[in-house]
Amino acid sequence: MNPFLRALFFWIVVRPIVLIVLGLNVRRRELLPKSGPAIIVANHNSHLDALVLMTLFSTRQMNKVHPVAAADYFLKNKYLAWFSTKVLGIIPINRVISKTQENPLQPIDDALAKDQILILFPEGSRGDPEHLDQFKTGIARIAQHHTEVDIVPVFMHGLGKALPRGEALLVPFFCDIFIGPTFRWTGSRVSFMEKLTEEMQKLVDEKPKSDW
Amino acid sequence: MGHLTNEVRWALEAILGLLIVASIIVFVLCRLQPEKDRTELVQRMKTWWIIILSFGGAFLLGKTAVLLYFAFVSFLGMKEYFSLIPARRADRRVLFWAYLAIPIQYYWVYSNWYGMFIVFIPVYMFMLIPSRMIMTGVTERFLHSVGMVHWGLMTTVFSLSHIAALMNLKWNPQVIDLPEARFATGVISPGPGLLIFLVALTQMNDVAQYVWGKTLGHRKIAPHVSPGKTVAGFLGGVVTTALLASLIGPWLTILHWKYALGAGLIIGVGGFFGDLSISALKRDLGVKDTSSMLPGHGGVMDRVDSLTFTAPLFFHYVYYLYHNLYF
């Protein structure tokens, strides 16, 4: 990752769009992790999700923040791969697990060992706009290997309207961001997934009347 | 600064002075009773500083800056509104067209094209929005959706653009019963004075209705919409606003005191209903504030709620009275 390019891209493109075109209503910003290692677990509806979450950090803090993203999508050609790894600073992982490969989550382990803050979308894909899909259990496996790592649940609402999957036209909408209390590995994968789902549901219930 | 009359400059300075005094009072209150939580009041004050400094700054820069300022207010208001309403998924791109109406509407103001300014949204957008919606092919909740989008356009763009349109009013020397020499040269527009008059009195009316309601209000005027509003608050507010208007009007604007009194009545009543209609909308949608854009105030639409009614009412009142004002 090139921190200079990333800062430049955020100051010239991302921050103005997020601040003026979109606009954020952040609830409990103080619950965001101030230092790593930590994992921000969020719902996923739009390409904007990771970018918006990154703008919640100062340029300095942001150097530690990396979205975990699908290698098959973000590394599909060399230009996108350059942009994703050098400017966005993603941690690419393989969604399709092959038997020959050792540990598909190795890059995540490495980043956490270096005190980084990861952004993870356990739904696995953006899915239908403004619809929360069932979480995949990879997150529980990560937490199990990193029992001392803070898990921060975040629910975002509005970005799936602004730029949903399959659309290239950005329409301005406010984005609500609800940040939940930090928790850690709970002892078992089942209880961890229950805890995560429960914390996320609390955040979902906070938003006013549903639309779409 | 040459485009502003002395009175307008004094009015801006008076507003700034008021803000400084209020800030000192808040500061002293916080010092005297540090145990009391006044976070919201302090936030409110800080936001006022941003609102008034940006508003005043736009004013000093001139007409174009004022237009851009209100175009931005319209954009923020529309964004809040579209983020709140239960629009259909299919309408995403329709809403994009509604956003495009903002630069276009303010361009009509900028170019002084009164005819287009007045019909663009009520006629052309009124047809364009349903036409674009038809193309999505979704008829379910069509009426519901087309109504919501049009109401949003009327409120956040059409109504609010009337504030900026006041800047276009020019003095017509043929009007003989208003011997206002300072406007007769055509160098100084009566617009800025009228604009400050409208915005300041709408704000004072909100305050007056609140204060009267608190001091001697018992009978609720609209218990289901806004439980805080009382009959005494409403009447006291309207009378106070009308009196203030008749005092300030002849000094700050081209309005004769009788007409200024009428303007005050219109602002008092219009402001009341404008405020309540946004309250009703929030109740319907189940939210307390339209957003949290302005800390201590809520959203932009919470701040300009009364203006959505008073701006077009006041504009057309002035336009009717002095319709040979050049536009």
Side-chain angles (χ1 to χ4, degrees):
Chain A
M1 188 191 80
N2 184 328
F4 175 73
L5 278 183
R6 191 199 230 193
L8 201 69
F9 176 65
F10 269 78
W11 277 111
I12 294 176
V13 183
V14 183
R15 287 190 196 267
I17 290 179
V18 170
L19 203 72
I20 297 165
V21 180
L22 296 171
L24 306 180
N25 293 324
V26 188
R27 315 291 203 289
R28 296 176 299 272
R29 189 187 278 264
E30 67 281 2
L31 293 181
L32 279 177
K34 281 166 197 68
S35 59
I39 304 173
I40 294 172
V41 177
N43 60 323
H44 199 22
N45 287 308
S46 167
H47 275 324
L48 296 168
D49 291 337
L51 295 173
V52 165
L53 283 173
M54 282 155 83
T55 64
L56 299 179
F57 292 91
S58 70
T59 305
R60 239 177 105 175
Q61 282 178 313
M62 213 171 65
N63 285 331
K64 287 191 151 223
V65 182
H66 303 277
V68 174
D72 56 281
Y73 187 95
F74 286 93
L75 304 183
K76 71 181 162 205
N77 64 56
K78 68 176 183 191
Y79 303 105
L80 187 60
W82 176 84
F83 183 74
S84 306
T85 52
K86 296 295 172 204
V87 182
L88 296 179
I90 67 160
I91 293 178
I93 54 160
N94 288 314
R95 279 193 283 201
V96 188
I97 299 166
S98 62
K99 285 198 179 117
T100 52
Q101 203 183 13
E102 338 61 270
N103 177 8
L105 300 176
Q106 190 61 44
I108 295 177
D109 294 338
D110 294 345
L112 289 173
K114 279 186 247 163
D115 289 347
Q116 305 293 296
I117 299 171
L118 304 185
I119 297 173
L120 209 104
F121 303 111
E123 285 169 278
S125 108
R126 286 168 290 162
D128 278 344
E130 301 300 300
H131 179 264
L132 188 63
D133 290 320
Q134 174 109 44
F135 285 171
K136 303 212 183 331
T137 52
I139 177 69
R141 286 176 53 188
I142 298 167
Q144 189 177 15
H145 290 131
H146 302 272
T147 51
E148 299 300 301
V149 168
D150 288 336
I151 310 284
V152 186
V154 175
F155 177 70
M156 290 181 286
H157 172 248
L159 295 176
K161 296 198 254 178
L163 190 71
R165 181 187 191 157
E167 288 274 357
L169 180 78
L170 176 73
V171 178
F173 280 103
F174 270 99
C175 171
D176 287 298
I177 300 180
F178 303 92
I179 301 167
T182 298
F183 61 95
R184 289 185 179 180
W185 172 246
T186 52
S188 80
R189 286 190 196 176
V190 175
S191 70
F192 181 84
M193 289 313 290
E194 276 171 3
K195 170 80 177 160
L196 177 62
T197 312
E198 181 195 312
E199 289 296 333
M200 198 57 95
Q201 192 55 47
K202 274 190 211 160
L203 300 177
V204 174
D205 293 340
E206 246 185 87
K207 105 179 143 72
K209 247 192 233 176
S210 174
D211 38 4
W212 300 83
Chain B
M1 287 263 274
H3 60 289
L4 302 176
T5 62
N6 286 333
E7 287 80 359
V8 169
R9 273 180 265 163
W10 291 333
L12 285 173
E13 280 161 16
I15 293 170
L16 193 64
L18 211 64
L19 190 63
I20 293 169
V21 170
S23 300
I24 293 171
I25 293 174
V26 171
F27 180 76
V28 170
L29 274 178
C30 288
R31 270 295 164 91
L32 288 180
Q33 300 163 297
E35 69 284 355
K36 242 182 156 178
D37 182 29
R38 291 186 203 277
T39 322
E40 206 187 318
L41 188 67
V42 173
Q43 276 184 339
R44 210 183 162 91
M45 238 24 252
K46 280 184 185 160
T47 307
W48 267 126
W49 273 99
I50 295 168
I51 294 174
I52 287 171
L53 287 183
S54 57
F55 178 71
F59 241 85
L60 298 180
L61 287 171
K63 177 182 149 180
T64 312
V66 172
L67 295 200
L68 288 172
Y69 183 88
F70 284 102
F72 191 58
V73 173
S74 284
F75 169 70
L76 294 176
M78 179 175 268
K79 195 168 69 174
E80 280 181 355
Y81 178 75
F82 283 164
S83 302
L84 286 175
I85 58 168
R88 304 173 303 173
R89 205 147 111 189
D91 292 333
R92 216 182 72 89
R93 278 166 183 257
V94 178
L95 301 185
F96 182 78
W97 286 98
Y99 277 112
L100 280 186
I102 301 171
I104 300 172
Q105 173 73 358
Y106 280 88
Y107 177 73
W108 308 137
V109 181
Y110 176 78
S111 60
N112 254 350
W113 188 355
Y114 178 76
M116 200 55 167
F117 158 75
I118 216 70
V119 301
F120 174 62
I121 288 171
V123 177
Y124 297 106
M125 286 311 288
F126 178 69
M127 291 166 192
L128 183 113
I129 293 295
S131 304
R132 180 62 187 81
M133 249 179 217
I134 288 161
M135 286 185 227
T136 67
V138 184
T139 51
E140 196 190 17
R141 293 202 300 148
F142 174 81
L143 174 62
H144 176 81
S145 220
V146 82
M148 273 192 313
V149 174
H150 194 68
W151 196 86
L153 271 167
M154 288 297 288
T155 315
T156 61
V157 189
F158 183 73
S159 284
L160 292 181
S161 69
H162 280 77
I163 310 175
L166 286 168
M167 292 298 275
N168 280 336
L169 296 173
K170 283 188 187 64
W171 180 248
N172 183 351
Q174 284 165 357
V175 180
I176 38 157
D177 61 332
L178 279 158
E180 294 281 0
R182 63 211 154 112
F183 300 119
T185 56
V187 178
I188 296 181
S189 150
L194 290 165
L195 199 161
I196 296 214
F197 178 81
L198 165 70
V199 174
L201 273 153
T202 304
Q203 182 56 42
M204 282 181 204
N205 179 56
D206 286 352
V207 176
Q209 301 217 358
Y210 175 79
V211 172
W212 280 108
K214 279 268 165 181
T215 40
L216 43 94
H218 295 293
R219 231 172 77 210
K220 300 205 183 311
I221 191 162
H224 300 295
V225 186
S226 187
K229 295 256 186 306
T230 64
V231 177
F234 171 64
L235 293 175
V238 171
V239 171
T240 309
T241 305
L243 289 177
L244 275 171
S246 68
L247 288 174
I248 299 172
W251 171 74
L252 183 64
T253 73
I254 48 169
L255 296 175
H256 185 270
W257 76 265
K258 284 183 294 192
Y259 297 144
L261 186 81
L265 287 172
I266 286 173
I267 289 171
V269 178
F272 173 79
F273 283 106
D275 183 346
L276 279 187
S277 80
I278 299 291
S279 299
L281 173 130
K282 287 189 286 187
R283 260 176 202 271
D284 186 15
L285 296 171
V287 293
K288 203 179 137 275
D289 293 323
T290 53
S291 83
S292 55
M293 256 228 86
L294 306 175
H297 296 252
V300 172
M301 288 308 286
D302 292 311
R303 191 64 275 143
V304 299
D305 51 3
S306 310
L307 276 170
T308 61
F309 276 29
T310 59
L313 285 172
F314 178 71
F315 178 91
H316 291 292
Y317 174 74
V318 175
Y319 191 74
Y320 170 75
L321 282 177
Y322 305 103
H323 64 253
N324 39 11
L325 282 169
Y326 287 139
F327 189 89

